[in-house]
Amino acid sequence: MKKVFLGLAIASLLAGCASTDDTAPAASETTTAAPAAAIVVMTSGANDLISDPQLTQFRSDSGQSDFWRKDADKKNGKGDVGSSKDTAFDDEGSARIRFISASDDFSYQPGLSQQVSGLKTDTDYILSFYYNDKKGAYSVSELIAGAKGADGKTLGEKAIHVNDLNDSPKGAVKTSFRQASVEFNSGSNTTAVIYTKMAITDPSKIDMNGDIGKQTEVRIDEFSLTEK
């Protein structure tokens, strides 16, 4: 189970910002604590409502899962969702979302979803996760994150671009992971489907003769669903 990190500024002053990861980081990235400006860094915990929130089981089962539903069909041009060894914290594992061919349908939005239960009605929740898009400010990818109720209606949704996360807390192992979140109210629902899916903002900016995967791929890790 990955450790829970608090990014409270006062905690940083009292306890110091020690590294919490036992795995050596990649050569191009540095292990670092969350920025002092962050109030709270939400990571998955034992009481979380999401199953396999760190995607470590998803990784160990080669992208298969009893909990996570993959919405993709690479054989029919609807994107590719698979596992990655990259991780924001501790144990190896995240999900990689991408297109792979110039003939793909770039209007499709491949991604992951999971049905969660045990929600309190009429309660505000925060769906938090760590998002990795190394393509930077000019990336053609963005992430659509949100939740839907039992009737299929959207409870809350947000489009997130990596350029929006410059001041967000970083992962401890791969610092290119940045924390993102979306808020929603459960309404009358005690169950909901939480989702993250990739959207291409401008297909015309993709070099169709280049590596489509590298031009579109993003990674997600370390989900948490908590009351606001």
Side-chain angles (χ1 to χ4, degrees):
M1 179 62 67
K2 296 181 180 179
K3 304 175 182 66
V4 177
F5 294 88
L6 294 180
L8 293 170
I10 187 170
S12 297
L13 292 173
L14 294 175
C17 297
S19 172
T20 53
D21 180 67
D22 296 327
T23 305
S28 61
E29 296 174 296
T30 305
T31 301
T32 182
I39 296 177
V40 176
V41 178
M42 292 176 291
T43 56
S44 54
N47 297 321
D48 199 13
L49 298 171
I50 301 175
S51 298
D52 191 24
Q54 307 92 357
L55 295 161
T56 51
Q57 184 175 340
F58 183 79
R59 169 63 179 174
S60 64
D61 290 339
S62 301
Q64 302 303 313
S65 177
D66 292 331
F67 311 112
W68 292 104
R69 177 183 181 273
K70 297 193 292 185
D71 186 2
D73 185 353
K74 63 182 180 181
K75 291 183 179 179
N76 290 297
K78 294 183 178 180
D80 174 46
V81 176
S83 69
S84 168
K85 68 179 181 180
D86 287 354
T87 184
F89 297 95
D90 296 334
D91 298 327
E92 187 177 277
S94 61
R96 179 187 62 198
I97 309 172
R98 63 180 180 174
F99 287 102
I100 57 176
S101 172
S103 61
D104 284 352
D105 178 1
F106 295 108
S107 68
Y108 199 76
Q109 297 179 350
L112 279 180
S113 64
Q114 182 178 143
Q115 181 170 305
V116 295
S117 59
L119 299 180
K120 298 177 182 179
T121 58
D122 298 313
T123 301
D124 291 326
Y125 283 92
I126 302 174
L127 173 63
S128 173
F129 53 93
Y130 277 74
Y131 179 45
N132 185 351
D133 183 353
K134 297 179 182 179
K135 302 187 295 297
Y138 299 102
S139 174
V140 297
S141 306
E142 68 178 4
L143 204 70
I144 311 296
K148 292 184 178 181
D151 58 1
K153 293 183 178 179
T154 301
L155 301 174
E157 185 176 270
K158 186 178 181 181
I160 302 166
H161 191 274
V162 65
N163 201 40
D164 302 328
L165 305 176
N166 291 331
D167 297 324
S168 296
K170 300 178 182 180
V173 177
K174 291 277 188 176
T175 60
S176 50
F177 278 93
R178 294 285 188 140
Q179 189 182 58
S181 63
V182 59
E183 299 180 8
F184 66 92
N185 185 279
S186 59
S188 61
N189 296 279
T190 57
T191 64
V193 173
I194 54 107
Y195 57 87
T196 50
K197 51 189 180 180
M198 184 187 70
I200 299 301
T201 59
D202 189 350
S204 70
K205 293 183 178 179
I206 298 175
D207 178 6
M208 298 303 173
N209 295 314
D211 189 322
I212 304 299
K214 287 185 178 180
Q215 293 180 78
T216 59
E217 68 183 17
V218 301
R219 287 170 172 76
I220 47 177
D221 191 19
E222 195 73 26
F223 284 81
S224 180
L225 184 58
T226 55
E227 291 183 43
K228 185 176 178 182

